[in-house]
Amino acid sequence: MGDRKAVRDAEFQRFVTSRWPRLLRTAFLLTGEQHAAEDLTQTTLEQAYVAWRRVGTADDPEAYVRRVMINAHARRHRRRLREFLAPKDDSGLAREVPDSGDRIAQADDRGALLAALAQLPPRQREAVVLRYWEDLTETQTAEAMGCSVGTVKSNAAKGIAKLRALPGLAETVTQGGRSR
């Protein structure tokens, strides 16, 4: 019995080590604060560890854990905890280093994008973050959010429309002749 637990613990540790940066980035995009993102990631991983037998044998453990994260974030939002995507004093925060292929990272002013994301309602923010920042398919996003593909399409379209309507963000995104 001790050997099985040691094997499970080692599997979980490998999972956490390989997925931590991406999970933390997703949590940051959902919460808007480094400390809140770390708390959300930790809470998510605690829940995943408790259910690791089920999570580890799932077809896609990362999708399972992402769903746990979305649910944990939704519970926090329902309790009316305030979230800020652009902290007033972020001098002590470690800066996210974007993936080399991250299309959103190509925007000249990531701060403008984060501030714009903060203005979206939570479900629209979740849809935009998962669909366009995390580059999930509509089906994967729907699974993570616990809703239908149509709801994902609707929330993502509304969120993108709101982002495009923001003057400062539109200028950043369309610089250099690129328009999205």
Side-chain angles (χ1 to χ4, degrees), residues 2 20 80 102 107 111 130 142 144 150-151 169:
W20 177 263
R80 302 278 187 225
D102 187 355
L130 294 174
T151 302
L169 186 62

Side-chain angles (χ1 to χ4, degrees), residues 67 70-71 91 93 97 171-172:
R67 175 68 187 268
I70 295 294
N71 289 342
S91 59
L93 296 179
V97 177
E171 293 166 9
T172 300

Side-chain angles (χ1 to χ4, degrees), residues 84-96:
F84 300 95
L85 268 167
K88 290 183 171 117
D89 179 21
D90 61 355
S91 59
L93 296 179
R95 295 286 175 204
E96 174 189 0

Side-chain angles (χ1 to χ4, degrees), residues 1-2 5 7 19 27 69 73-74 117 119 128 134 140 150 165:
M1 179 145 138
K5 182 178 179 345
V7 169
R19 305 306 197 297
M69 180 178 285
H73 178 258
L117 281 171
Q119 296 178 29
V128 169
E134 292 296 326
Q140 290 170 323

Side-chain angles (χ1 to χ4, degrees), residues 6 55 62 70-71 105 114 136:
V55 175
E62 187 172 357
I70 295 294
N71 289 342
L114 293 174
L136 298 181

Side-chain angles (χ1 to χ4, degrees), residues 68-139:
V68 170
M69 180 178 285
I70 295 294
N71 289 342
H73 178 258
R75 277 191 302 277
R76 286 182 176 186
H77 177 71
R78 279 193 292 266
R79 288 191 305 236
R80 302 278 187 225
L81 292 179
R82 294 198 47 137
E83 299 173 355
F84 300 95
L85 268 167
K88 290 183 171 117
D89 179 21
D90 61 355
S91 59
L93 296 179
R95 295 286 175 204
E96 174 189 0
V97 177
D99 296 340
S100 58
D102 187 355
R103 299 188 94 208
I104 295 175
Q106 296 169 1
D108 291 333
D109 188 1
R110 292 171 64 87
L113 179 58
L114 293 174
L117 281 171
Q119 296 178 29
L120 296 178
R123 292 298 276 181
Q124 289 178 15
R125 183 183 332 150
E126 289 171 3
V128 169
V129 165
L130 294 174
R131 186 75 183 93
Y132 298 104
W133 202 305
E134 292 296 326
D135 202 26
L136 298 181
T137 65
E138 290 169 342
T139 304

